[in-house]
């Protein structure tokens, strides 16, 4: 008896995104994107500025809606669903890592990692605390539990953000320039963490980056140019550059 | 609401000086509302008590006798009067019909606190060559004290109105030159009178009131006014002074007599008090509005400051409703903390002012006291005010586009 194959985490078909629709200054940023990301894939999204990377990431992250085409998240059409359904899907299925960390300064490092659990459970639970402590230890911040984001270096803050993105074991982590604001050493460390979590926990990653060095270390590279996928394939020795 | 409470509290707590300033601002505004409410309430009560002297909250009297115009016999529909002029009838001293039954019916009303029947009529007090006209009031000491607190107004002697005893006002006693133990003669149009011994001297807080009344026992007054076994009125104290008019209306349905509240008989005073109350309300409303605008503006700034955090919370899976509630809760928390501090400051202010403000006789104009219902209503009101003030900022926060908010 063969196991039923899990649906793709992400499946985009003919997705277009237009801004200022119906107005004289209407602009189409994405011109029909077809994209499938399988569970556990470690993908980079590259392209020059203005190619539509951020727009695509916002669509994938359910922060924006496509103007046309279909978006399926884990096989379920989600493009036109209600704001509450999309919010719930963000909490249950997606993790975010942003370039500028975006930790909440009012909470300690541990509490920041506990926030997704707090959103789901409504209270700080013991299990949530244990999970957050494990994740922070895994990113090498076991002595920084009670430190506020302002007391941490940029690299450390990004590691907290990575731990937070993984707190609810998402199926897909969307990382927008996760190393863009870090020095080379910290960037390598953060990237190594993403790689490690991908291997250990099996969640898929889509990483937007301008750094060809990091893109080359992913399993798959998607290159966007002028709102279209110009290249999509496994990383070769001569990886496409942004 | 736990998530919302935790985030709202952290946002407020980490707001630092901004939070301190708005909470202090709200507390000061609310403290003034608490103070002015308590102060004006006490002041009005004091004014009423001093002005009324020994007037009861509600008085039950015989219905007035009216002259009926003669009409044509056999044709009730014809309103034409036979007499060309109808003179109003002079009101004689009469007893309340079946007054014991009326007292029993009054007792059935839960808002009636004390009942005192009395027989009062015009009279003359004589001491040597000195004569003074006055009202001779026959009372039963205990219930009368319960209604008017006459026992607390005695400045000499005691509240004793046995046969042959009389209580006089301080100014009347001075005019007559009598003290405790001296005798005076009391007479009325119906009786040549007798001599009575002064057992007590009272001070009702106003000279004219102190010259107006002499108190004797009820049977004595009944004899003096030729009202054997009768009473001219029944005086009633109700649980809430300001509800006297409503209670009087209730009572008038249960007894077939004229029922009047102090509010009805002191229209001018009530108009003055109503105007004062209106001004107090306007002041309270203005202060409430200022507090609300302060809370709203600080939260509006907080929403702008926290745009990125709101964006990240939304991106991570916080619903618009939750974001809305986080900011509404902040408004409620400012209201709650502000009102707790405000009540404490308001009480302190009242304590200080009660020591500074005195009436003509040197007594305190009002006494500061812990008014729990006032504090409770203030807190509930302040929380509601905080929520209303937070509505616009909260709505703005909830409507933020997370993708744009994160980029800011």
């Amino acid at each position: 008896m063969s196991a039923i194959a899990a649906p793709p985490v992400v499946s985009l078909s003919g997705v277009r995104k237009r801004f200022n629709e119906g107005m004289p200054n209407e602009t189409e940023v994405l011109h029909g994107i077809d994209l499938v990301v399988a569970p556990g894939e470690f993908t980079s999204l590259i392209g020059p500025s203005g190619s539509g990377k951020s727009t695509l990431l916002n669509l994938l992250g359910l922060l924006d809606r496509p103007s046309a085409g279909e978006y399926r998240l884990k096989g379920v059409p989600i493009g036109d669903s209600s704001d509450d359904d999309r919010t719930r899907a963000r909490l249950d299925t997606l993790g975010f890592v942003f370039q500028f960390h975006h930790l909440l300064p009012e909470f300690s490092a541990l509490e920041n990692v506990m926030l997704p659990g707090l959103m789901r459970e409504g209270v700080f639970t013991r299990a949530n605390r244990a999970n957050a402590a494990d994740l922070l230890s895994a990113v090498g911040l076991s002595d920084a539990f009670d430190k506020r984001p302002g007391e941490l270096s940029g690299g450390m803050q990004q590691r907290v953000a990575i731990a937070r993105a993984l707190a609810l074991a998402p199926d897909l982590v969307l990382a927008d320039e996760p190393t863009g604001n870090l020095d080379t050493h910290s960037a390598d460390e953060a990237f190594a963490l993403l790689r490690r979590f991908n291997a250990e926990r099996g969640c898929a990653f889509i990483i937007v980056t301008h750094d060809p060095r990091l893109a080359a270390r992913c399993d798959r590279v998607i290159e966007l140019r002028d709102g279209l996928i110009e290249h999509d394939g496994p990383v070769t020795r001569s990886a496409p550059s942004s | 609401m736990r998530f919302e409470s935790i985030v709202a509290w952290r946002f407020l707590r980490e707001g630092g000086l901004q939070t301190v300033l708005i909470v202090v601002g709200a507390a000061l505004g609310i403290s003034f509302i608490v103070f002015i409410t308590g102060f004006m309430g006490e002041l009005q009560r004091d004014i009423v008590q001093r002005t009324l002297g020994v007037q009861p909250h509600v008085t039950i009297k015989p219905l007035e006798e009216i002259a009926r115009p003669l009409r044509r016999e056999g044709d009730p529909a014809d309103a034409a009067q036979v007499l060309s002029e109808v003179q109003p009838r002079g009101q004689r001293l009469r007893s309340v019909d079946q007054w014991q039954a009326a007292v029993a019916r009054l007792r059935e009303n839960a808002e009636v606190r004390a009942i005192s029947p009395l027989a009062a009529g015009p009279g003359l007090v004589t001491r040597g060559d000195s004569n003074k006209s006055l009202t001779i009031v026959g009372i039963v000491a205990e219930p009368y004290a319960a209604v008017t607190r006459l026992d607390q107004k005695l400045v000499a002697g005691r509240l004793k109105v046995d046969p042959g005893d009389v209580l006089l006002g301080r100014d009347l006693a001075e005019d007559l030159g009598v003290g405790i133990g001296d005798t005076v003669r009391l007479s009325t149009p119906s009786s040549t009178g007798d001599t009575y011994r002064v057992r007590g001297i009272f001070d009702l807080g106003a000279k004219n009131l102190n010259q107006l009344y002499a108190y004797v026992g009820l049977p004595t007054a009944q004899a003096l006014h030729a009202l054997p076994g009768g009473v001219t009125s029944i005086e009633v104290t109700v649980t809430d002074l300001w509800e006297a008019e409503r209670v009087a209306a209730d009572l008038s349905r249960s007894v077939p007599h004229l029922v009047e509240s102090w509010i009805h008989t002191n229209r001018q005073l009530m108009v003055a008090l109503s105007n004062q109350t209106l001004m107090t309300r306007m002041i309270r409303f203005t202060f409430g509005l200022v507090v609300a605008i302060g809370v709203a503006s600080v939260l509006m700034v907080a929403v702008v400051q926290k745009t990125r955090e709101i964006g990240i919370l939304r991106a991570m899976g916080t619903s618009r409703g939750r974001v809305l509630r986080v900011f509404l809760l902040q408004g409620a928390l400012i209201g709650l903390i502000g009102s707790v501090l405000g009540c404490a400051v308001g009480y302190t202010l009242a304590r200080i002012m009660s020591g500074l403000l005195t009436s003509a006789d040197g007594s305190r104009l009002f006494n500061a006291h812990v008014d729990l219902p006032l504090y409770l209503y203030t807190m509930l009101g302040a929380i509601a005010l905080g929520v209303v003030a937070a509505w616009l900022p909260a709505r703005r926060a909830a409507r933020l586009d997370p993708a744009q908010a994160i980029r800011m």
Side-chain angles (χ1 to χ4, degrees), chain B residues 133-137 169 172 202 207-214:
Chain B
S133 65
L134 79 173
T135 300
I136 298 170
V137 186
L172 182 61
F202 55 85
K207 184 169 181 171
N208 62 333
L209 294 177
N210 288 340
Q211 289 173 326
L212 189 62
Y213 297 113

Side-chain angles (χ1 to χ4, degrees), chain B residues 269-303:
Chain B
L269 173 65
M270 274 312 288
V271 169
L273 293 179
S274 297
N275 289 340
Q276 206 178 44
T277 305
L278 183 69
M279 288 308 294
T280 310
R281 283 194 185 142
M282 278 179 65
I283 292 170
R284 276 158 45 186
F285 175 77
T286 309
F287 269 82
L289 195 65
V290 170
V291 170
I293 290 171
V295 172
S297 60
V298 165
L299 285 179
M300 199 62 102
V301 170
V303 169

Side-chain angles (χ1 to χ4, degrees), chain A residues 56-107:
Chain A
L56 181 56
L57 200 72
N58 285 343
L59 290 179
L60 290 169
L62 301 173
L63 300 176
D64 209 348
R65 293 169 188 270
S67 307
E70 190 185 52
Y71 177 14
R72 285 173 178 267
L73 186 65
K74 292 178 73 180
V76 179
I78 190 94
D80 292 327
S81 52
S82 72
D83 190 71
D84 280 348
D85 287 344
R86 294 156 68 83
T87 301
R88 190 79 218 169
R90 282 202 298 272
L91 182 63
D92 292 338
T93 315
L94 303 176
F96 292 88
V97 181
F98 301 96
Q99 182 178 359
F100 297 105
H101 331 307
H102 292 323
L103 300 175
L104 264 63
E106 295 84 3
F107 293 84

Side-chain angles (χ1 to χ4, degrees), chain B residues 18 74 89 99 111 125 129 157 162 169 171 214 223 233 241 260 285 293 301 324 354-355 363 374 377 403:
Chain B
Q18 195 170 302
R89 185 168 179 166
W99 67 268
E111 288 178 89
V125 59
D129 294 338
D162 292 340
D171 296 274
S233 63
L241 177 74
E260 282 180 342
F285 175 77
I293 290 171
V301 170
L324 184 86
S354 77
S363 64
L374 171 65
Y377 288 132

Side-chain angles (χ1 to χ4, degrees), chain A residues 156-174:
Chain A
M156 290 162 97
Q157 286 186 46
Q158 193 59 298
R159 280 188 273 161
V160 176
I162 291 168
R164 185 181 65 185
L166 292 155
L168 295 182
D171 296 288
L172 172 65
V173 174
L174 299 164

